[in-house]
Short mmCIF file of all heavy atoms in Angstrom, two decimals:
data_model
loop_
_atom_site.label_atom_id
_atom_site.label_comp_id
_atom_site.label_asym_id
_atom_site.label_seq_id
_atom_site.Cartn_x
_atom_site.Cartn_y
_atom_site.Cartn_z
N MET I 207 22.35 -10.57 -9.02
CA MET I 207 21.69 -9.33 -8.88
C MET I 207 20.66 -9.32 -7.83
O MET I 207 19.93 -10.33 -7.63
CB MET I 207 21.00 -8.95 -10.32
CG MET I 207 20.40 -7.64 -10.40
SD MET I 207 19.72 -7.28 -12.00
CE MET I 207 21.07 -6.20 -12.68
N LYS I 208 20.61 -8.20 -6.98
CA LYS I 208 19.62 -8.13 -5.84
C LYS I 208 19.01 -6.88 -5.86
O LYS I 208 19.49 -5.86 -6.20
CB LYS I 208 20.55 -8.28 -4.64
CG LYS I 208 19.83 -8.21 -3.28
CD LYS I 208 20.76 -8.37 -2.13
CE LYS I 208 20.16 -8.00 -0.78
NZ LYS I 208 19.14 -9.05 -0.36
N ALA I 209 17.70 -6.98 -5.52
CA ALA I 209 16.84 -5.71 -5.44
C ALA I 209 16.59 -5.32 -4.02
O ALA I 209 16.25 -6.19 -3.16
CB ALA I 209 15.50 -5.97 -6.10
N THR I 210 16.85 -4.09 -3.68
CA THR I 210 16.48 -3.71 -2.36
C THR I 210 15.71 -2.30 -2.38
O THR I 210 15.84 -1.59 -3.40
CB THR I 210 17.79 -3.33 -1.48
OG1 THR I 210 18.76 -2.45 -2.28
CG2 THR I 210 18.58 -4.63 -1.16
N ILE I 211 14.89 -2.14 -1.41
CA ILE I 211 14.03 -1.00 -1.44
C ILE I 211 14.26 -0.24 -0.01
O ILE I 211 14.14 -0.86 0.93
CB ILE I 211 12.60 -1.37 -1.59
CG1 ILE I 211 12.44 -2.25 -2.94
CG2 ILE I 211 11.67 -0.22 -1.60
CD1 ILE I 211 11.51 -3.44 -2.73
N ASP I 212 14.38 1.06 -0.14
CA ASP I 212 14.24 1.91 1.07
C ASP I 212 12.87 2.12 1.43
O ASP I 212 12.20 3.06 0.94
CB ASP I 212 15.07 3.17 0.88
CG ASP I 212 14.98 4.12 2.01
OD1 ASP I 212 14.43 3.70 3.10
OD2 ASP I 212 15.54 5.27 2.02
N ARG I 213 12.24 1.17 2.13
CA ARG I 213 10.77 1.13 2.20
C ARG I 213 10.20 2.44 2.95
O ARG I 213 9.07 2.75 2.72
CB ARG I 213 10.35 -0.18 2.94
CG ARG I 213 10.78 -1.33 2.17
CD ARG I 213 10.24 -2.67 2.94
NE ARG I 213 8.94 -2.81 2.62
CZ ARG I 213 7.96 -2.79 3.51
NH1 ARG I 213 8.21 -2.68 4.80
NH2 ARG I 213 6.68 -3.06 3.14
N LYS I 214 10.99 3.03 3.74
CA LYS I 214 10.48 4.29 4.42
C LYS I 214 10.06 5.38 3.38
O LYS I 214 9.23 6.11 3.64
CB LYS I 214 11.55 4.78 5.35
CG LYS I 214 11.75 3.87 6.56
CD LYS I 214 12.66 4.58 7.57
CE LYS I 214 14.04 5.15 7.08
NZ LYS I 214 14.93 4.02 6.68
N GLY I 215 10.78 5.27 2.27
CA GLY I 215 10.53 6.34 1.23
C GLY I 215 9.48 5.97 0.21
O GLY I 215 9.18 6.82 -0.57
N CYS I 216 9.05 4.78 0.19
CA CYS I 216 8.13 4.25 -0.80
C CYS I 216 6.79 5.00 -0.53
O CYS I 216 6.23 5.06 0.48
CB CYS I 216 7.97 2.76 -0.68
SG CYS I 216 6.53 2.07 -1.68
N ILE I 217 6.22 5.46 -1.63
CA ILE I 217 4.89 6.22 -1.68
C ILE I 217 3.77 5.37 -2.13
O ILE I 217 2.69 5.89 -2.43
CB ILE I 217 4.98 7.62 -2.42
CG1 ILE I 217 5.33 7.34 -3.85
CG2 ILE I 217 6.02 8.47 -1.77
CD1 ILE I 217 5.16 8.54 -4.76
N SER I 218 4.01 4.04 -2.30
CA SER I 218 2.97 3.05 -2.57
C SER I 218 2.24 3.29 -3.88
O SER I 218 1.04 3.04 -4.06
CB SER I 218 1.95 3.05 -1.38
OG SER I 218 2.54 2.83 -0.22
N CYS I 219 2.96 3.74 -4.92
CA CYS I 219 2.40 4.13 -6.17
C CYS I 219 2.11 2.74 -7.04
O CYS I 219 1.29 2.74 -7.83
CB CYS I 219 3.26 5.08 -7.03
SG CYS I 219 4.74 4.21 -7.69
N GLY I 220 2.80 1.69 -6.69
CA GLY I 220 2.61 0.38 -7.32
C GLY I 220 3.24 0.22 -8.65
O GLY I 220 3.12 -0.83 -9.18
N LEU I 221 3.95 1.25 -9.12
CA LEU I 221 4.54 1.14 -10.47
C LEU I 221 5.44 -0.14 -10.59
O LEU I 221 5.41 -0.86 -11.52
CB LEU I 221 5.17 2.40 -10.83
CG LEU I 221 5.76 2.46 -12.20
CD1 LEU I 221 4.65 2.32 -13.24
CD2 LEU I 221 6.46 3.80 -12.38
N CYS I 222 6.29 -0.20 -9.47
CA CYS I 222 7.32 -1.33 -9.71
C CYS I 222 6.64 -2.71 -9.64
O CYS I 222 7.09 -3.57 -10.44
CB CYS I 222 8.38 -1.21 -8.60
SG CYS I 222 7.76 -1.20 -6.89
N ALA I 223 5.66 -2.83 -8.80
CA ALA I 223 5.05 -4.15 -8.79
C ALA I 223 4.25 -4.45 -9.99
O ALA I 223 4.14 -5.68 -10.37
CB ALA I 223 3.98 -4.11 -7.57
N SER I 224 3.72 -3.44 -10.69
CA SER I 224 3.16 -3.69 -12.04
C SER I 224 4.18 -3.94 -13.09
O SER I 224 3.94 -4.72 -14.08
CB SER I 224 2.08 -2.63 -12.42
OG SER I 224 2.75 -1.39 -12.60
N THR I 225 5.34 -3.20 -13.04
CA THR I 225 6.37 -3.39 -14.11
C THR I 225 7.04 -4.72 -13.93
O THR I 225 7.39 -5.37 -14.95
CB THR I 225 7.37 -2.31 -13.96
OG1 THR I 225 6.75 -1.02 -14.06
CG2 THR I 225 8.48 -2.39 -14.93
N CYS I 226 7.29 -5.20 -12.72
CA CYS I 226 8.10 -6.35 -12.48
C CYS I 226 7.63 -7.14 -11.32
O CYS I 226 8.16 -7.25 -10.19
CB CYS I 226 9.54 -5.92 -12.26
SG CYS I 226 10.74 -7.38 -12.18
N PRO I 227 6.47 -7.75 -11.45
CA PRO I 227 5.78 -8.44 -10.39
C PRO I 227 6.54 -9.75 -9.89
O PRO I 227 6.29 -10.19 -8.76
CB PRO I 227 4.48 -8.84 -10.89
CG PRO I 227 4.59 -8.88 -12.32
CD PRO I 227 5.69 -7.81 -12.68
N VAL I 228 7.44 -10.18 -10.65
CA VAL I 228 8.34 -11.23 -10.12
C VAL I 228 9.12 -10.96 -9.08
O VAL I 228 9.58 -11.74 -8.14
CB VAL I 228 9.25 -11.82 -11.31
CG1 VAL I 228 10.18 -12.86 -10.92
CG2 VAL I 228 8.28 -12.40 -12.46
N VAL I 229 9.58 -9.60 -8.93
CA VAL I 229 10.55 -9.14 -7.93
C VAL I 229 9.82 -8.25 -6.84
O VAL I 229 10.24 -8.29 -5.65
CB VAL I 229 11.59 -8.33 -8.70
CG1 VAL I 229 12.66 -7.81 -7.59
CG2 VAL I 229 12.40 -9.28 -9.68
N PHE I 230 8.91 -7.50 -7.28
CA PHE I 230 8.30 -6.51 -6.28
C PHE I 230 6.87 -6.82 -6.09
O PHE I 230 6.08 -7.10 -6.99
CB PHE I 230 8.34 -5.12 -6.90
CG PHE I 230 9.79 -4.71 -7.28
CD1 PHE I 230 10.27 -4.78 -8.59
CD2 PHE I 230 10.65 -4.29 -6.34
CE1 PHE I 230 11.56 -4.44 -8.89
CE2 PHE I 230 12.07 -3.94 -6.60
CZ PHE I 230 12.47 -4.00 -7.95
N ARG I 231 6.51 -6.74 -4.79
CA ARG I 231 5.06 -6.97 -4.40
C ARG I 231 4.70 -5.95 -3.39
O ARG I 231 5.49 -5.55 -2.59
CB ARG I 231 4.81 -8.36 -3.97
CG ARG I 231 5.42 -8.72 -2.63
CD ARG I 231 5.11 -10.09 -2.17
NE ARG I 231 6.04 -10.42 -1.08
CZ ARG I 231 6.37 -11.73 -0.77
NH1 ARG I 231 6.01 -12.70 -1.59
NH2 ARG I 231 7.17 -11.89 0.20
N MET I 232 3.40 -5.61 -3.22
CA MET I 232 2.89 -4.84 -2.24
C MET I 232 2.75 -5.61 -0.96
O MET I 232 2.15 -6.66 -0.99
CB MET I 232 1.51 -4.11 -2.53
CG MET I 232 1.54 -3.39 -3.96
SD MET I 232 2.67 -2.07 -4.09
CE MET I 232 2.09 -0.88 -3.04
N ALA I 233 3.35 -5.12 0.10
CA ALA I 233 3.25 -5.82 1.49
C ALA I 233 2.01 -5.40 2.12
O ALA I 233 1.23 -4.46 1.67
CB ALA I 233 4.49 -5.52 2.21
N ASP I 234 1.70 -6.06 3.30
CA ASP I 234 0.51 -5.76 3.96
C ASP I 234 0.42 -4.30 4.52
O ASP I 234 -0.58 -3.79 4.66
CB ASP I 234 0.47 -6.68 5.14
CG ASP I 234 0.11 -8.10 4.79
OD1 ASP I 234 -0.33 -8.33 3.58
OD2 ASP I 234 0.26 -9.01 5.58
N ASP I 235 1.65 -3.66 4.70
CA ASP I 235 1.68 -2.32 5.17
C ASP I 235 1.42 -1.30 4.06
O ASP I 235 1.51 -0.11 4.33
CB ASP I 235 2.92 -2.03 5.99
CG ASP I 235 4.19 -2.03 5.13
OD1 ASP I 235 4.09 -2.33 3.90
OD2 ASP I 235 5.27 -1.88 5.69
N GLY I 236 1.32 -1.75 2.79
CA GLY I 236 0.96 -0.95 1.67
C GLY I 236 2.22 -0.44 0.91
O GLY I 236 2.10 0.23 0.01
N ARG I 237 3.35 -0.82 1.51
CA ARG I 237 4.64 -0.47 0.84
C ARG I 237 5.17 -1.67 0.05
O ARG I 237 4.81 -2.80 0.37
CB ARG I 237 5.61 0.07 1.76
CG ARG I 237 5.14 1.43 2.41
CD ARG I 237 6.11 1.98 3.43
NE ARG I 237 5.67 3.24 3.86
CZ ARG I 237 6.08 3.87 4.91
NH1 ARG I 237 7.05 3.32 5.69
NH2 ARG I 237 5.59 5.08 5.16
N VAL I 238 6.08 -1.38 -0.79
CA VAL I 238 6.60 -2.53 -1.66
C VAL I 238 7.79 -3.27 -0.99
O VAL I 238 8.54 -2.64 -0.21
CB VAL I 238 7.03 -1.88 -3.03
CG1 VAL I 238 8.21 -2.81 -3.68
CG2 VAL I 238 5.81 -1.84 -3.93
N GLU I 239 7.81 -4.55 -1.19
CA GLU I 239 8.92 -5.31 -0.73
C GLU I 239 9.43 -6.18 -1.86
O GLU I 239 8.72 -6.47 -2.74
CB GLU I 239 8.48 -6.19 0.50
CG GLU I 239 7.48 -7.24 0.22
CD GLU I 239 6.96 -7.97 1.36
OE1 GLU I 239 7.42 -7.62 2.47
OE2 GLU I 239 6.20 -8.98 1.16
N ALA I 240 10.72 -6.62 -1.81
CA ALA I 240 11.28 -7.54 -2.81
C ALA I 240 10.85 -8.99 -2.38
O ALA I 240 10.89 -9.37 -1.28
CB ALA I 240 12.74 -7.38 -2.77
N CYS I 241 10.40 -9.67 -3.33
CA CYS I 241 9.95 -10.96 -3.05
C CYS I 241 10.92 -12.14 -3.63
O CYS I 241 10.51 -13.33 -3.55
CB CYS I 241 8.53 -11.21 -3.56
SG CYS I 241 8.14 -10.76 -5.22
N THR I 242 11.98 -11.77 -4.17
CA THR I 242 13.01 -12.77 -4.64
C THR I 242 14.42 -12.19 -4.37
O THR I 242 14.61 -11.04 -4.38
CB THR I 242 12.89 -13.02 -6.17
OG1 THR I 242 13.15 -11.73 -6.86
CG2 THR I 242 11.64 -13.60 -6.63
N ASP I 243 15.21 -13.13 -4.07
CA ASP I 243 16.65 -12.83 -3.79
C ASP I 243 17.44 -14.06 -4.20
O ASP I 243 17.36 -15.11 -3.47
CB ASP I 243 16.89 -12.43 -2.43
CG ASP I 243 18.32 -11.99 -2.09
OD1 ASP I 243 19.06 -11.76 -3.15
OD2 ASP I 243 18.75 -12.01 -1.04
N PRO I 244 18.23 -14.13 -5.25
CA PRO I 244 18.46 -12.98 -6.10
C PRO I 244 17.31 -12.66 -7.10
O PRO I 244 16.43 -13.50 -7.12
CB PRO I 244 19.73 -13.42 -6.84
CG PRO I 244 19.56 -14.89 -6.84
CD PRO I 244 18.93 -15.31 -5.70
N VAL I 245 17.56 -11.67 -7.93
CA VAL I 245 16.58 -11.41 -8.98
C VAL I 245 16.85 -12.44 -10.09
O VAL I 245 18.03 -12.66 -10.41
CB VAL I 245 16.87 -9.97 -9.56
CG1 VAL I 245 16.08 -9.77 -10.82
CG2 VAL I 245 16.57 -8.86 -8.53
N PRO I 246 15.83 -13.14 -10.51
CA PRO I 246 16.03 -14.10 -11.59
C PRO I 246 16.51 -13.38 -12.77
O PRO I 246 16.24 -12.27 -13.15
CB PRO I 246 14.55 -14.66 -11.93
CG PRO I 246 13.79 -14.29 -10.64
CD PRO I 246 14.35 -13.01 -10.11
N GLU I 247 17.41 -14.11 -13.59
CA GLU I 247 18.04 -13.58 -14.73
C GLU I 247 17.03 -13.10 -15.70
O GLU I 247 17.16 -11.98 -16.29
CB GLU I 247 18.93 -14.65 -15.42
CG GLU I 247 20.07 -13.95 -16.32
CD GLU I 247 20.94 -15.06 -16.73
OE1 GLU I 247 21.46 -15.90 -15.89
OE2 GLU I 247 21.28 -15.03 -17.85
N SER I 248 15.91 -13.80 -15.76
CA SER I 248 14.88 -13.41 -16.78
C SER I 248 14.14 -12.10 -16.38
O SER I 248 13.44 -11.53 -17.25
CB SER I 248 13.89 -14.51 -16.90
OG SER I 248 13.21 -14.74 -15.67
N ALA I 249 14.21 -11.62 -15.15
CA ALA I 249 13.62 -10.47 -14.66
C ALA I 249 14.54 -9.31 -14.51
O ALA I 249 14.15 -8.25 -13.96
CB ALA I 249 12.87 -10.74 -13.43
N GLU I 250 15.77 -9.47 -14.91
CA GLU I 250 16.88 -8.41 -14.58
C GLU I 250 16.44 -7.04 -15.32
O GLU I 250 16.54 -6.05 -14.78
CB GLU I 250 18.21 -8.83 -14.97
CG GLU I 250 18.78 -9.91 -13.91
CD GLU I 250 20.22 -10.26 -14.29
OE1 GLU I 250 20.71 -9.76 -15.33
OE2 GLU I 250 20.75 -11.03 -13.45
N ASP I 251 16.04 -7.19 -16.53
CA ASP I 251 15.80 -6.03 -17.34
C ASP I 251 14.58 -5.29 -16.77
O ASP I 251 14.51 -4.02 -16.68
CB ASP I 251 15.47 -6.40 -18.84
CG ASP I 251 16.72 -6.81 -19.51
OD1 ASP I 251 17.82 -6.54 -18.99
OD2 ASP I 251 16.67 -7.21 -20.71
N THR I 252 13.40 -5.97 -16.42
CA THR I 252 12.27 -5.32 -15.93
C THR I 252 12.56 -4.75 -14.52
O THR I 252 11.98 -3.82 -14.18
CB THR I 252 11.05 -6.25 -15.98
OG1 THR I 252 11.35 -7.48 -15.32
CG2 THR I 252 10.52 -6.41 -17.31
N ALA I 253 13.37 -5.50 -13.66
CA ALA I 253 13.66 -4.97 -12.40
C ALA I 253 14.48 -3.64 -12.48
O ALA I 253 14.18 -2.69 -11.76
CB ALA I 253 14.51 -6.03 -11.63
N ALA I 254 15.36 -3.54 -13.45
CA ALA I 254 16.12 -2.27 -13.63
C ALA I 254 15.14 -1.19 -14.18
O ALA I 254 15.29 -0.06 -13.86
CB ALA I 254 17.20 -2.59 -14.72
N GLU I 255 14.16 -1.58 -15.01
CA GLU I 255 13.21 -0.62 -15.46
C GLU I 255 12.36 0.00 -14.34
O GLU I 255 12.18 1.17 -14.25
CB GLU I 255 12.24 -1.27 -16.49
CG GLU I 255 11.25 -0.35 -17.13
CD GLU I 255 10.37 -1.02 -18.14
OE1 GLU I 255 10.73 -2.25 -18.55
OE2 GLU I 255 9.27 -0.62 -18.38
N ALA I 256 12.00 -0.92 -13.38
CA ALA I 256 11.25 -0.56 -12.19
C ALA I 256 12.07 0.36 -11.37
O ALA I 256 11.60 1.46 -10.87
CB ALA I 256 10.88 -1.77 -11.41
N ARG I 257 13.38 0.12 -11.17
CA ARG I 257 14.37 0.99 -10.47
C ARG I 257 14.30 2.36 -11.18
O ARG I 257 14.11 3.41 -10.39
CB ARG I 257 15.69 0.39 -10.51
CG ARG I 257 16.78 1.35 -9.87
CD ARG I 257 18.11 0.89 -10.33
NE ARG I 257 18.30 0.93 -11.74
CZ ARG I 257 19.16 0.21 -12.42
NH1 ARG I 257 19.89 -0.65 -11.87
NH2 ARG I 257 19.20 0.31 -13.75
N ASP I 258 14.52 2.42 -12.45
CA ASP I 258 14.72 3.65 -13.07
C ASP I 258 13.39 4.50 -13.13
O ASP I 258 13.51 5.70 -13.23
CB ASP I 258 15.06 3.31 -14.62
CG ASP I 258 16.46 2.79 -14.74
OD1 ASP I 258 17.12 2.80 -13.79
OD2 ASP I 258 16.78 2.26 -15.88
N ASN I 259 12.22 3.83 -13.00
CA ASN I 259 11.04 4.59 -13.12
C ASN I 259 10.38 4.96 -11.72
O ASN I 259 9.31 5.58 -11.68
CB ASN I 259 10.02 3.82 -14.00
CG ASN I 259 10.41 3.81 -15.38
OD1 ASN I 259 11.10 4.66 -15.92
ND2 ASN I 259 10.04 2.69 -16.13
N CYS I 260 10.94 4.41 -10.68
CA CYS I 260 10.36 4.80 -9.33
C CYS I 260 10.42 6.23 -9.13
O CYS I 260 11.51 6.91 -9.24
CB CYS I 260 11.17 4.06 -8.24
SG CYS I 260 10.79 4.53 -6.51
N PRO I 261 9.31 6.88 -8.82
CA PRO I 261 9.25 8.32 -8.78
C PRO I 261 10.01 8.93 -7.60
O PRO I 261 10.30 10.21 -7.61
CB PRO I 261 7.83 8.62 -8.56
CG PRO I 261 7.11 7.30 -8.08
CD PRO I 261 7.92 6.27 -8.70
N VAL I 262 10.34 8.14 -6.59
CA VAL I 262 11.10 8.69 -5.46
C VAL I 262 12.49 7.96 -5.36
O VAL I 262 13.10 8.14 -4.29
CB VAL I 262 10.31 8.44 -4.15
CG1 VAL I 262 9.12 9.46 -4.10
CG2 VAL I 262 9.79 7.03 -3.93
N SER I 263 12.82 7.22 -6.35
CA SER I 263 14.17 6.60 -6.44
C SER I 263 14.63 5.83 -5.11
O SER I 263 15.72 6.05 -4.64
CB SER I 263 15.19 7.72 -6.79
OG SER I 263 14.89 8.28 -7.97
N VAL I 264 13.72 4.97 -4.68
CA VAL I 264 14.17 4.23 -3.51
C VAL I 264 14.54 2.81 -3.77
O VAL I 264 14.79 1.99 -2.89
CB VAL I 264 12.97 4.20 -2.45
CG1 VAL I 264 12.76 5.67 -1.92
CG2 VAL I 264 11.58 3.66 -3.03
N ILE I 265 14.59 2.44 -5.10
CA ILE I 265 14.88 1.02 -5.46
C ILE I 265 16.37 1.05 -5.92
O ILE I 265 16.84 1.91 -6.65
CB ILE I 265 13.99 0.54 -6.64
CG1 ILE I 265 12.54 0.55 -6.13
CG2 ILE I 265 14.52 -0.85 -7.12
CD1 ILE I 265 11.62 0.28 -7.35
N THR I 266 17.07 0.00 -5.45
CA THR I 266 18.37 -0.35 -5.82
C THR I 266 18.40 -1.75 -6.49
O THR I 266 17.87 -2.60 -5.82
CB THR I 266 19.40 -0.27 -4.65
OG1 THR I 266 19.41 1.04 -4.04
CG2 THR I 266 20.82 -0.50 -5.14
N VAL I 267 18.96 -1.83 -7.64
CA VAL I 267 19.20 -3.11 -8.23
C VAL I 267 20.59 -3.23 -8.66
O VAL I 267 21.10 -2.48 -9.48
CB VAL I 267 18.17 -3.35 -9.51
CG1 VAL I 267 18.33 -4.70 -10.04
CG2 VAL I 267 16.73 -3.14 -9.07
N GLU I 268 21.33 -4.20 -8.09
CA GLU I 268 22.75 -4.28 -8.31
C GLU I 268 23.27 -5.74 -8.15
O GLU I 268 22.52 -6.48 -7.54
CB GLU I 268 23.59 -3.25 -7.55
CG GLU I 268 23.41 -3.48 -6.01
CD GLU I 268 24.15 -2.41 -5.25
OE1 GLU I 268 24.52 -1.45 -5.90
OE2 GLU I 268 24.19 -2.55 -3.99
S1 SF4 W 190 7.83 2.51 -7.79
FE1 SF4 W 190 8.87 3.27 -5.90
S2 SF4 W 190 7.28 4.50 -4.78
FE2 SF4 W 190 6.25 3.27 -6.33
S3 SF4 W 190 5.58 1.46 -5.10
FE3 SF4 W 190 7.68 0.96 -6.11
S4 SF4 W 190 9.23 1.44 -4.61
FE4 SF4 W 190 7.23 2.40 -3.97
#
């Protein structure tokens, strides 16, 4: 499983980084980046939750 983010569309709300900090972190430019590849099995559920709750739907987890 891999997490990708269309970073141009990220509005920096921070929700994904607080929901699943193992996978998502705020980068220096204020937008989120994925910090693991692949997503650890133990974080798959929370990564999917972060994807589902992103207000601008820029996260893909597959
Ligand atoms: S939930 Fe979406 S908009 Fe919010 S920080 Fe994460 S990627 Fe960006």
Side-chain angles (χ1 to χ4, degrees):
M207 186 175 259
K208 178 180 171 69
T210 54
I211 301 137
D212 179 2
R213 300 186 75 243
K214 293 191 301 292
C216 172
I217 60 170
S218 307
C219 74
L221 185 60
C222 58
S224 64
T225 301
C226 186
V228 172
V229 177
F230 304 100
R231 70 179 168 209
M232 305 305 290
D234 290 344
D235 65 1
R237 293 177 175 167
V238 154
E239 63 185 6
C241 50
T242 58
D243 181 18
V245 173
E247 201 172 316
S248 60
E250 287 183 354
D251 288 349
T252 50
E255 183 182 340
R257 172 200 63 206
D258 293 347
N259 291 332
C260 174
V262 287
S263 301
V264 295
I265 298 173
T266 303
V267 180
E268 56 189 10

